[in-house]
Amino acid sequence: MAGPKKALITGITGQDGSYLAEFLLDKGYEVVGMVRRSSTVNFERIAHIQDRVNLVAGDLLDEVSLIRLLQEWQPGEVYNLAAQSFVQTSWNQPVFTGESTALGVTRLLDAIRIANPEIRFYQASSSEMFGKVVEVPQKEDTPFYPRSPYGVAKVYGHWITVNYRESYGLHASSGILFNHESPRRGLEFVTRKISNTAAKIALGVEKKISLGNLDARRDWGYAPDYVKAMWLMLQQDEPDNYVIATGETHSVGEFCKLAFTCVGLNYEDYVEVDKKFLRPAEVDLLVGDPSKAGKVLGWTPDVAFQDLVETMVDADMKLVKAQL
């Protein structure tokens, strides 16, 4: 009798990795999480499930470690969520971003080709690949025009996934995920910075929040909704690319207004624009067309924008209170 399904998640300690691990555990999977041997790995997001997952050492910069890991654990599914994933950092670390976010995908795909080409592979592509958009909304076949080293690296990772699918017959799918947030989002990301600072201001810990472009518009969804889409892709008979988005767009200013309204404040009294948070090349409007994912995968987002913002602010109010 076959044992439970087994999945390997790279980037398991991140926002998406932690939610995906929970989702797969609930489905009865054995979950293997790859972590780098480094002193900075933060297990906070998976602390509540750490005793239920197998954490193993591996590195996207080292293909031999990946081959060994696949041979030893023999997963049926691999979800590649590891990357240098912060756009702002990619300007300061463009080469490292390329090594991990672009070439790291190649190493993992090649390791799968060598160790077991039957493994089903998910690549975390990004709406940042569209960058300076050439059409609205963005679909699976919209041309890419990345505007940051991160976006450029993600385009490489996306196309090398398609290349290995077509060249070696791998079941390799690419999810072009638009922005997706949650209380587990890193504090360096603008949405979490807003929800966390709004809570701090409401509780008297901070007085102001400095942000970049308040007019930048994004298609924001809820991370747990989006990890379900990743899993659905690997359950299909054929691999493919899918845009995962809400199809709605909201500005950073709108996010601020909602977040501060949650704590009974007017955001205009506390928000200041600081040029240091403006990107060298800005991405002004991202909004995805998720109709293919709806039709083929049966996927639709469950959590609305307002509920997402309220969930994040509520969680940060509890967090900040606990720290006082």
Side-chain angles (χ1 to χ4, degrees):
M1 191 178 128
K5 288 178 101 171
K6 195 185 294 184
L8 169 69
I9 303 172
T10 74
I12 192 170
T13 59
Q15 168 188 261
D16 292 7
S18 65
Y19 283 121
L20 179 61
E22 281 177 355
F23 178 85
L24 294 175
L25 287 169
D26 287 346
K27 292 255 176 223
Y29 276 67
E30 181 180 351
V31 175
V32 182
M34 187 180 93
V35 291
R36 279 178 302 167
R37 282 198 196 280
S38 88
S39 56
T40 57
V41 175
N42 181 350
F43 295 103
E44 190 182 327
R45 294 185 184 95
I46 57 167
H48 61 296
I49 53 169
Q50 211 167 324
D51 59 342
R52 297 171 62 203
V53 300
N54 305 292
L55 294 177
V56 297
D59 198 319
L60 288 179
L61 306 188
D62 180 5
E63 187 171 333
V64 173
S65 74
L66 303 176
I67 294 169
R68 281 187 179 149
L69 213 158
L70 295 173
Q71 287 173 337
E72 183 181 346
W73 288 92
Q74 299 184 349
E77 298 172 1
V78 170
Y79 296 85
N80 183 37
L81 311 185
Q84 189 300 99
S85 63
F86 188 44
V87 174
Q88 197 75 34
T89 300
S90 78
W91 295 102
N92 301 324
Q93 300 183 349
V95 176
F96 173 69
T97 300
E99 279 287 355
S100 57
T101 308
L103 292 177
V105 187
T106 315
R107 294 186 191 100
L108 189 49
L109 283 164
D110 212 47
I112 288 170
R113 179 183 69 81
I114 292 164
N116 177 8
E118 295 303 308
I119 289 171
R120 296 190 169 200
F121 176 78
Y122 170 81
Q123 167 59 12
S125 287
S126 166
S127 59
E128 288 287 333
M129 301 190 304
F130 296 119
K132 188 176 181 180
V133 300
V134 296
E135 67 175 350
V136 179
Q138 293 90 54
K139 304 188 285 288
E140 287 79 9
D141 56 2
T142 299
F144 300 134
Y145 194 147
R147 299 273 278 171
S148 66
Y150 171 76
V152 173
K154 279 291 185 185
V155 169
Y156 178 100
H158 178 82
W159 280 118
I160 202 69
T161 300
V162 173
N163 187 256
Y164 268 65
R165 177 201 306 165
E166 294 177 351
S167 304
Y168 300 112
L170 296 188
H171 194 297
S173 288
S174 197
I176 306 171
L177 269 58
F178 280 66
N179 293 59
H180 45 288
E181 317 297 318
S182 76
R184 294 183 197 169
R185 192 56 140 155
L187 287 164
E188 70 271 26
F189 289 86
V190 66
T191 49
R192 183 71 198 292
K193 180 179 177 179
I194 293 166
S195 65
N196 189 259
T197 312
K200 285 179 174 171
I201 290 170
L203 295 166
V205 180
E206 305 246 340
K207 292 189 166 55
K208 292 277 179 194
I209 178 171
S210 297
L211 297 168
N213 182 6
L214 297 184
D215 298 322
R217 301 183 71 81
R218 292 291 183 272
D219 183 327
W220 276 303
Y222 185 47
D225 285 347
Y226 285 43
V227 300
K228 182 182 181 184
M230 300 175 187
W231 175 77
L232 284 168
M233 286 177 217
L234 298 201
Q235 311 317 306
Q236 305 307 307
D237 290 338
E238 297 298 327
D240 209 342
N241 306 327
Y242 297 92
V243 162
I244 304 299
T246 67
E248 290 178 14
T249 175
H250 300 275
S251 69
V252 174
E254 274 179 84
F255 200 104
C256 286
K257 185 178 180 181
L258 263 177
F260 277 83
T261 302
C262 287
V263 293
L265 299 173
N266 177 5
Y267 82 103
E268 289 170 329
D269 297 336
Y270 303 96
V271 174
E272 52 191 25
V273 173
D274 187 333
K275 286 189 173 134
K276 79 175 181 197
F277 294 115
L278 297 173
R279 299 178 184 177
E282 184 55 79
V283 173
D284 296 314
L285 174 63
L286 290 174
V287 55
D289 175 0
S291 53
K292 179 179 172 181
K295 197 158 59 183
V296 180
L297 305 177
W299 179 85
T300 49
D302 292 328
V303 176
F305 178 69
Q306 186 167 343
D307 296 331
L308 164 68
V309 179
E310 287 171 3
T311 299
M312 290 178 70
V313 174
D314 288 348
D316 273 323
M317 284 293 282
K318 289 192 183 102
L319 182 71
V320 177
K321 278 178 184 166
Q323 291 166 344
L324 292 177

